[in-house]
Amino acid sequence: MEVVIRPNADAATDLVARVIARELRDNPRLVMGLATGRTMESVYARLVQMHREEGLDFSAGRTFNLDEYVGLSSNHANSYRHYMNHHLFLQVNIDLQNTHLPDGMAADLVAECANYERLIAKNGGIDLQLLGIGQNGHLGFNEPLSALRSRTRVKILSPVTRAQNVPLFPRPELVPHRAITMGVGSILDCRCCILLATGEEKAAIVAKAVEGPITSMISATALQLHPECTLILDEAAGSQLKESDYYHWVFENQPEWEPFRAVSSPIAKSGFQAKRQLEKQSVEAMSDVLE
Ligand code: GLP
């Protein structure tokens, strides 16, 4: 796991969008795992801007969202399909046929969950998974006690999660009680993942997710098991981390981040594979010195 702390929410959001853009440029058929929530709105706004101003091309990209409310149709104003269409899909040149969310209106929800897993596998798995974090540390809607190896399934939303989502609904009682969500195990299958968290209200749960013990009570702690996971935070969300000086030092010194340190630097050409190559070279160079 790597933690990057940027000075403010705009810089953190910009970094996330630029990493996604770089991966999409490297692999136009990128399979993107996407998230919803207020934090992601500015990421999608930045991607839309890149599409308009820099020609960022989504035409061959494929997407799978983490979750969808049970009982809300795709054109319901509070469904995640509506959110994605509104914030991203209808504003870029993606083929809607290549965008996927679980169907919260499916007559057979169990079959729908199994089908969603099959569809992800058929597309070769998720290359880059974008994640937010709930107040209780959930990923997607993996509420406390979600098994660390869980797959896509229906979850009952916790009172904390329902309360967190009340501002997005016209009335509190309209927040659904259930959602289909990719499981913690399904999320961990992705090739690399980026979690974005901003704001002081996320500071305590981010500290637990990064520096606390792995527990099914907080699904985000499972990311400690992922070999290619980066958390991108603003100073406020990173304010309760004990090792923040070290995380800053890594960002300043890790060659992979060089193209991203200056806000106006050009989009890096190489992807996460290049990071691995650089790490391999550093280990080899270190071995040479030690011999
Ligand atoms: C919902 C989504 C999560 C997301 C969370 C964060 O619960 N299911 O995937 O991480 O919202 O929301 P926000 O960015 O609004 O804090």
Side-chain angles (χ1 to χ4, degrees):
M1 180 183 273
E2 198 167 355
V3 177
V4 174
I5 304 173
R6 303 305 286 143
N8 52 53
D10 280 352
T13 301
D14 184 61
L15 179 57
V16 170
R18 286 162 66 205
V19 172
I20 297 170
R22 179 192 64 182
E23 295 297 309
L24 188 57
R25 286 186 167 109
D26 277 1
N27 173 13
R29 283 179 50 76
L30 192 72
V31 179
M32 292 167 273
L34 298 179
T36 50
R38 280 152 289 190
T39 314
M40 294 304 146
E41 289 177 16
S42 42
V43 174
Y44 298 138
R46 184 78 184 90
L47 289 172
V48 169
Q49 186 190 13
M50 287 176 178
H51 168 69
R52 290 185 185 149
E53 295 175 5
E54 301 166 21
L56 183 63
D57 182 13
F58 289 82
S59 60
R62 293 164 288 165
T63 70
F64 287 90
N65 266 76
L66 284 167
D67 45 18
E68 179 59 283
Y69 291 112
V70 168
L72 300 193
S73 65
S74 56
N75 55 11
H76 189 287
N78 291 113
S79 72
Y80 283 162
R81 164 55 80 178
H82 184 272
Y83 171 107
M84 290 309 303
N85 284 348
H86 177 73
H87 290 289
L88 185 66
F89 298 155
L90 296 181
Q91 304 211 48
V92 296
N93 64 335
I94 201 159
D95 181 347
L96 279 180
Q97 305 270 17
N98 291 336
T99 67
H100 308 279
L101 287 93
D103 179 3
M105 295 292 281
D108 184 341
L109 292 171
V110 174
E112 172 61 15
C113 294
N115 194 38
Y116 201 64
E117 289 272 341
R118 268 195 298 274
L119 205 53
I120 293 173
K122 203 173 144 202
N123 278 268
I126 289 170
D127 295 312
L128 174 61
Q129 177 69 58
L130 180 60
L131 297 163
I133 184 168
Q135 302 279 1
N136 61 2
H138 70 205
L139 301 176
F141 276 127
N142 287 286
E143 300 290 50
L145 291 184
S146 288
L148 301 181
R149 295 178 65 183
S150 51
R151 311 302 305 184
T152 302
R153 69 219 183 287
V154 175
K155 284 298 285 183
I156 307 283
L157 305 186
S158 71
V160 172
T161 296
R162 292 191 71 237
Q164 186 190 333
N165 285 297
V166 161
L168 302 170
F169 284 79
R171 292 199 309 280
E173 64 273 22
L174 296 179
V175 180
H177 287 80
R178 295 188 302 161
I180 295 179
T181 180
M182 279 169 61
V184 182
S186 332
I187 293 169
L188 290 179
D189 281 351
C190 68
R191 290 188 186 90
C192 68
C193 57
I194 299 178
L195 185 148
L196 172 65
T198 57
E200 214 183 325
E201 64 280 8
K202 297 282 173 73
I205 197 67
V206 162
K208 286 182 184 167
V210 175
E211 295 174 342
I214 296 173
T215 167
S216 62
M217 284 299 290
I218 302 173
S219 61
T221 62
L223 297 176
Q224 295 175 28
L225 297 166
H226 198 287
E228 286 287 346
C229 177
T230 305
L231 266 77
I232 298 180
L233 313 170
D234 64 354
E235 284 286 354
S239 60
Q240 293 190 29
L241 290 166
K242 292 197 188 77
E243 300 293 334
S244 56
D245 288 351
Y246 169 62
Y247 309 142
H248 279 294
W249 189 91
V250 172
F251 184 72
E252 290 308 321
N253 291 280
Q254 172 77 278
E256 177 229 347
W257 291 117
E258 204 277 322
F260 294 101
R261 276 181 215 127
V263 172
S264 57
S265 67
I267 302 288
K269 290 202 176 60
S270 53
F272 276 79
Q273 281 78 7
K275 177 186 169 197
R276 277 192 284 275
Q277 183 65 29
L278 281 167
E279 282 169 354
K280 196 164 158 261
Q281 282 165 1
S282 319
V283 170
E284 281 164 6
M286 188 74 83
S287 314
D288 287 349
V289 169
L290 292 174
E291 269 170 16

